[in-house]
Amino acid sequence: GQNIDQPTEMTATEGAIVQINCTYQTSGFNGLFWYQQHAGEAPTFLSYNVLDGLEEKGRFSSFLSRSKGYSYLLLKELQMKDSASYLCAVRGEDALNFGKGTSLLVTP
Amino acid sequence: DAGITQSPRHKVTETGTPVTLRCHQTENHRYMYWYRQDPGHGLRLIHYSYGVKDTDKGEVSDGYSVSRSKTEDFLLTLESATSSQTSVYFCAISESRTQIKNIQYFGAGTRLSVL
């Protein structure tokens, strides 16, 4: 089975850095994905990790440790528009399984 | 943005009526998926398709059926809608199921209310 855990809510200040953690237990591992979802909108793809280490893409970075079943999404230079839900998803042997999402509120 | 269109975008229906949601893609991707999203739950897979006329069940398939007669269209049918099927339904597509090509891209969603 699959178990994916991430914090329910986080709050951070505009201009700051925030780290959103995701831990998982899966039968098989074929990649970890991060998606961003603004309220009332579709999830949009942010990052993909299949090997251990850090993937950087502009203000967003994602880290993976397969041995620890752990990932994080790092958001730098926070902007108000970054207020959204961030979904961690793990592909096991077959399907893509999603965590419940972390709702991030960026305050002025 | 991936060319994915869901219709209708909003629907209100009554318990016991049949409902069909449509997902249309212009990317010629092989894989198509239907998810539902509810408060307190992550996105949950209902059914998916890996080609024309090839479909399989997901985690929460009871009460739902699907059909894919053309590469570009994937239909989700609620044979007899129940209030527990009130949800936001998302269609997704992916090029493949291997490595980077298994990134799923989502449609805008259909908000369904069953009264």
Side-chain angles (χ1 to χ4, degrees), chain A residues 23-38:
Chain A
T23 58
Y24 64 89
Q25 295 173 313
T26 67
S27 51
F29 179 84
N30 288 292
L32 187 142
F33 301 78
W34 284 95
Y35 284 82
Q36 180 190 59
Q37 186 177 24
H38 285 100

Side-chain angles (χ1 to χ4, degrees), chain B residues 64-103:
Chain B
Y64 301 95
S65 63
V66 291
S67 66
R68 191 166 178 202
S69 59
K70 297 185 290 186
T71 298
E72 58 266 34
D73 289 325
F74 192 31
L75 304 181
L76 176 71
T77 298
L78 292 65
E79 302 290 348
S80 177
T82 67
S83 58
S84 65
Q85 293 176 312
T86 292
S87 186
V88 180
Y89 291 87
F90 286 101
C91 172
I93 64 173
S94 69
E95 187 174 355
S96 137
R97 298 196 83 182
T98 57
Q99 298 298 320
I100 195 73
K101 293 185 177 180
N102 69 43
I103 296 171

Side-chain angles (χ1 to χ4, degrees), chain A residues 14-81:
Chain A
E14 189 176 17
I17 299 172
V18 70
Q19 177 175 311
I20 302 174
N21 297 323
C22 173
T23 58
Y24 64 89
Q25 295 173 313
T26 67
S27 51
F29 179 84
N30 288 292
L32 187 142
F33 301 78
W34 284 95
Y35 284 82
Q36 180 190 59
Q37 186 177 24
H38 285 100
E41 298 183 7
T44 56
F45 170 73
L46 285 179
S47 69
Y48 169 71
N49 295 73
V50 67
L51 300 176
D52 290 352
L54 188 68
E55 294 283 340
E56 297 185 83
K57 189 185 296 185
R59 293 190 299 115
F60 293 3
S61 303
S62 57
F63 172 83
L64 173 66
S65 170
R66 288 173 296 171
S67 63
K68 296 182 179 178
Y70 169 69
S71 173
Y72 67 73
L73 180 68
L74 193 70
L75 291 74
K76 304 176 184 177
E77 301 171 9
L78 280 172
Q79 303 176 8
M80 299 299 289
K81 67 179 181 180

